[in-house]
Amino acid sequence: MEPPFPTGLTRTMAAAITTPLAVTHRAAALPRATHDAAWVRWLLTGIALLFVGFFLALPLAAVFTEALRRGLGAYLASFRDPDALAAIRLTLLAAAFAVPCNLVFGVAAAWAIAKFNFRGKSVLTTLIDLPFAVSPVISGLVYVLIFGLQGWLGPWLQDHDLKVIFAVPGIVLATIFVTFPFVARELIPLMQAQGNDEEYAAITLGAGGWQTFWHVTLPNIKWGLFYGVILCNARAMGEFGAVSVVSGHIRGETNTMPLHIEILYNEYNFVAAFAVASLLALLAIVTLVLKTFIEWKHAAARGDVS
């Protein structure tokens, strides 16, 4: 009879080979600890879908239903109103100023915080998070205290015939304040995770500061930068609290789309109010689509998806 194991193979070595096989067979026979039952998966999925449907899909459907309640003609007529057109223009104008300003600040702040060590670094990081911690209404009041008629700079502005509060500059400043963390907060952890090795290599090969930024740093952060800009733009167009304090609610002059919606709703002009609200909802949907696309492209660039 042949020996159970090849010649020279000790029982200890044989046990070392056969034991993992036995453990593997036992593990395959037992349900995995991380494998949930089918009813658990279906229950959790159902709860998530109900939550999304009740708190997101249903309100969105209600907005478009109310906006089109009197037909497409009444819906389109809501946008031909001069006050509505002025509100749309002002919203786009505020976003057009806020997004580029926050883009420049966000990239500069993230580059400084992630790539360099300097005195006051923790203070700068804390200040970037300030709009997340402070109510938008409070930030609007701060601008009133600074630039208002009775504020610190109010008399000087009045003497030089300059108007900030209850005018377009105040709306732009308030929008910039509430949106400036988005780009920086998106880029700081990304730059910290990437490290400084590529920048050091570029400098070693003779590249200057701007060359290193344009050809090394910027390509590495482009998807995170796009993502932060999209979020910043969405918040800029939908901001209500801070803009409400500094605008003065002057119809046709200082009302953005959210403020115009509030006025129309308080006047019981529900079709026009929901029509303008549907425009903001469409912009939100476009933002989500762009956000999903950016996330997919970023994952594809890292090789996480095919």
Side-chain angles (χ1 to χ4, degrees), residues 32-49:
R32 292 182 302 167
T34 58
H35 184 74
D36 295 325
W39 69 269
V40 175
R41 297 197 302 270
W42 283 106
L43 178 62
L44 294 177
T45 303
I47 292 174
L49 291 176

mmCIF file of all heavy atoms in Angstrom, residues 32-49:
data_model
loop_
_atom_site.group_PDB
_atom_site.id
_atom_site.type_symbol
_atom_site.label_atom_id
_atom_site.label_comp_id
_atom_site.label_asym_id
_atom_site.label_seq_id
_atom_site.Cartn_x
_atom_site.Cartn_y
_atom_site.Cartn_z
ATOM 1 N N ARG A 32 -21.950 33.309 6.316
ATOM 2 C CA ARG A 32 -21.001 34.348 6.708
ATOM 3 C C ARG A 32 -21.654 35.336 7.661
ATOM 4 O O ARG A 32 -22.838 35.643 7.559
ATOM 5 C CB ARG A 32 -20.502 35.097 5.471
ATOM 6 C CG ARG A 32 -19.638 34.243 4.555
ATOM 7 C CD ARG A 32 -19.145 35.062 3.384
ATOM 8 N NE ARG A 32 -20.262 35.610 2.638
ATOM 9 C CZ ARG A 32 -20.133 36.565 1.722
ATOM 10 N NH1 ARG A 32 -18.954 37.092 1.493
ATOM 11 N NH2 ARG A 32 -21.178 37.006 1.051
ATOM 12 N N ALA A 33 -20.834 35.846 8.573
ATOM 13 C CA ALA A 33 -21.372 36.786 9.567
ATOM 14 C C ALA A 33 -21.816 38.088 8.923
ATOM 15 O O ALA A 33 -22.703 38.767 9.428
ATOM 16 C CB ALA A 33 -20.323 37.062 10.643
ATOM 17 N N THR A 34 -21.187 38.426 7.783
ATOM 18 C CA THR A 34 -21.537 39.679 7.114
ATOM 19 C C THR A 34 -22.630 39.503 6.068
ATOM 20 O O THR A 34 -22.984 40.452 5.386
ATOM 21 C CB THR A 34 -20.285 40.263 6.429
ATOM 22 O OG1 THR A 34 -19.767 39.300 5.501
ATOM 23 C CG2 THR A 34 -19.222 40.615 7.452
ATOM 24 N N HIS A 35 -23.152 38.297 5.940
ATOM 25 C CA HIS A 35 -24.182 38.022 4.931
ATOM 26 C C HIS A 35 -25.553 38.144 5.584
ATOM 27 O O HIS A 35 -25.958 37.274 6.366
ATOM 28 C CB HIS A 35 -23.975 36.626 4.341
ATOM 29 C CG HIS A 35 -24.934 36.321 3.229
ATOM 30 N ND1 HIS A 35 -24.813 36.876 1.979
ATOM 31 C CD2 HIS A 35 -26.040 35.526 3.184
ATOM 32 C CE1 HIS A 35 -25.784 36.441 1.210
ATOM 33 N NE2 HIS A 35 -26.551 35.617 1.913
ATOM 34 N N ASP A 36 -26.286 39.217 5.267
ATOM 35 C CA ASP A 36 -27.607 39.427 5.853
ATOM 36 C C ASP A 36 -28.641 38.579 5.138
ATOM 37 O O ASP A 36 -28.496 38.236 3.959
ATOM 38 C CB ASP A 36 -28.002 40.897 5.761
ATOM 39 C CG ASP A 36 -27.101 41.790 6.582
ATOM 40 O OD1 ASP A 36 -26.671 41.337 7.653
ATOM 41 O OD2 ASP A 36 -26.819 42.914 6.128
ATOM 42 N N ALA A 37 -29.691 38.282 5.862
ATOM 43 C CA ALA A 37 -30.794 37.541 5.269
ATOM 44 C C ALA A 37 -31.481 38.387 4.204
ATOM 45 O O ALA A 37 -31.424 39.620 4.218
ATOM 46 C CB ALA A 37 -31.784 37.133 6.349
ATOM 47 N N ALA A 38 -32.162 37.719 3.282
ATOM 48 C CA ALA A 38 -32.802 38.430 2.175
ATOM 49 C C ALA A 38 -33.857 39.407 2.674
ATOM 50 O O ALA A 38 -33.977 40.522 2.162
ATOM 51 C CB ALA A 38 -33.419 37.421 1.207
ATOM 52 N N TRP A 39 -34.609 39.008 3.715
ATOM 53 C CA TRP A 39 -35.667 39.886 4.198
ATOM 54 C C TRP A 39 -35.094 41.153 4.828
ATOM 55 O O TRP A 39 -35.723 42.216 4.763
ATOM 56 C CB TRP A 39 -36.563 39.154 5.193
ATOM 57 C CG TRP A 39 -35.898 38.832 6.509
ATOM 58 C CD1 TRP A 39 -35.215 37.708 6.837
ATOM 59 C CD2 TRP A 39 -35.869 39.677 7.665
ATOM 60 N NE1 TRP A 39 -34.744 37.771 8.113
ATOM 61 C CE2 TRP A 39 -35.143 38.976 8.655
ATOM 62 C CE3 TRP A 39 -36.385 40.939 7.959
ATOM 63 C CZ2 TRP A 39 -34.917 39.496 9.920
ATOM 64 C CZ3 TRP A 39 -36.160 41.460 9.217
ATOM 65 C CH2 TRP A 39 -35.442 40.745 10.191
ATOM 66 N N VAL A 40 -33.881 41.052 5.401
ATOM 67 C CA VAL A 40 -33.242 42.240 5.987
ATOM 68 C C VAL A 40 -32.854 43.216 4.880
ATOM 69 O O VAL A 40 -33.079 44.429 4.987
ATOM 70 C CB VAL A 40 -32.023 41.835 6.828
ATOM 71 C CG1 VAL A 40 -31.287 43.078 7.334
ATOM 72 C CG2 VAL A 40 -32.437 40.956 7.989
ATOM 73 N N ARG A 41 -32.281 42.679 3.805
ATOM 74 C CA ARG A 41 -31.889 43.547 2.690
ATOM 75 C C ARG A 41 -33.107 44.228 2.072
ATOM 76 O O ARG A 41 -33.085 45.425 1.771
ATOM 77 C CB ARG A 41 -31.130 42.742 1.644
ATOM 78 C CG ARG A 41 -29.817 42.140 2.154
ATOM 79 C CD ARG A 41 -28.928 41.727 0.991
ATOM 80 N NE ARG A 41 -29.590 40.767 0.121
ATOM 81 C CZ ARG A 41 -29.532 39.456 0.281
ATOM 82 N NH1 ARG A 41 -28.853 38.949 1.310
ATOM 83 N NH2 ARG A 41 -30.141 38.648 -0.570
ATOM 84 N N TRP A 42 -34.182 43.461 1.855
ATOM 85 C CA TRP A 42 -35.386 44.032 1.274
ATOM 86 C C TRP A 42 -36.016 45.067 2.196
ATOM 87 O O TRP A 42 -36.523 46.100 1.748
ATOM 88 C CB TRP A 42 -36.399 42.931 0.967
ATOM 89 C CG TRP A 42 -36.079 42.160 -0.269
ATOM 90 C CD1 TRP A 42 -35.575 40.889 -0.354
ATOM 91 C CD2 TRP A 42 -36.209 42.623 -1.619
ATOM 92 N NE1 TRP A 42 -35.387 40.522 -1.662
ATOM 93 C CE2 TRP A 42 -35.773 41.561 -2.468
ATOM 94 C CE3 TRP A 42 -36.644 43.804 -2.194
ATOM 95 C CZ2 TRP A 42 -35.778 41.675 -3.846
ATOM 96 C CZ3 TRP A 42 -36.654 43.922 -3.578
ATOM 97 C CH2 TRP A 42 -36.226 42.867 -4.382
ATOM 98 N N LEU A 43 -35.979 44.814 3.507
ATOM 99 C CA LEU A 43 -36.552 45.763 4.453
ATOM 100 C C LEU A 43 -35.787 47.081 4.456
ATOM 101 O O LEU A 43 -36.378 48.167 4.397
ATOM 102 C CB LEU A 43 -36.565 45.150 5.863
ATOM 103 C CG LEU A 43 -37.096 46.057 6.997
ATOM 104 C CD1 LEU A 43 -38.548 46.420 6.741
ATOM 105 C CD2 LEU A 43 -36.931 45.384 8.341
ATOM 106 N N LEU A 44 -34.464 47.004 4.513
ATOM 107 C CA LEU A 44 -33.652 48.218 4.520
ATOM 108 C C LEU A 44 -33.791 48.989 3.212
ATOM 109 O O LEU A 44 -33.878 50.227 3.204
ATOM 110 C CB LEU A 44 -32.185 47.858 4.765
ATOM 111 C CG LEU A 44 -31.856 47.270 6.144
ATOM 112 C CD1 LEU A 44 -30.390 46.883 6.219
ATOM 113 C CD2 LEU A 44 -32.202 48.252 7.249
ATOM 114 N N THR A 45 -33.833 48.253 2.089
ATOM 115 C CA THR A 45 -34.016 48.912 0.798
ATOM 116 C C THR A 45 -35.374 49.590 0.712
ATOM 117 O O THR A 45 -35.502 50.721 0.226
ATOM 118 C CB THR A 45 -33.876 47.891 -0.342
ATOM 119 O OG1 THR A 45 -32.591 47.253 -0.251
ATOM 120 C CG2 THR A 45 -34.009 48.569 -1.693
ATOM 121 N N GLY A 46 -36.413 48.910 1.221
ATOM 122 C CA GLY A 46 -37.746 49.499 1.205
ATOM 123 C C GLY A 46 -37.843 50.754 2.050
ATOM 124 O O GLY A 46 -38.463 51.745 1.651
ATOM 125 N N ILE A 47 -37.221 50.722 3.234
ATOM 126 C CA ILE A 47 -37.238 51.903 4.106
ATOM 127 C C ILE A 47 -36.533 53.076 3.429
ATOM 128 O O ILE A 47 -37.009 54.216 3.459
ATOM 129 C CB ILE A 47 -36.581 51.576 5.458
ATOM 130 C CG1 ILE A 47 -37.448 50.579 6.240
ATOM 131 C CG2 ILE A 47 -36.365 52.841 6.280
ATOM 132 C CD1 ILE A 47 -36.807 50.100 7.524
ATOM 133 N N ALA A 48 -35.392 52.797 2.786
ATOM 134 C CA ALA A 48 -34.654 53.866 2.092
ATOM 135 C C ALA A 48 -35.480 54.448 0.948
ATOM 136 O O ALA A 48 -35.541 55.666 0.766
ATOM 137 C CB ALA A 48 -33.326 53.328 1.571
ATOM 138 N N LEU A 49 -36.143 53.579 0.180
ATOM 139 C CA LEU A 49 -36.953 54.069 -0.933
ATOM 140 C C LEU A 49 -38.158 54.861 -0.448
ATOM 141 O O LEU A 49 -38.527 55.879 -1.049
ATOM 142 C CB LEU A 49 -37.410 52.883 -1.794
ATOM 143 C CG LEU A 49 -36.307 52.178 -2.597
ATOM 144 C CD1 LEU A 49 -36.877 50.970 -3.333
ATOM 145 C CD2 LEU A 49 -35.648 53.139 -3.576
#
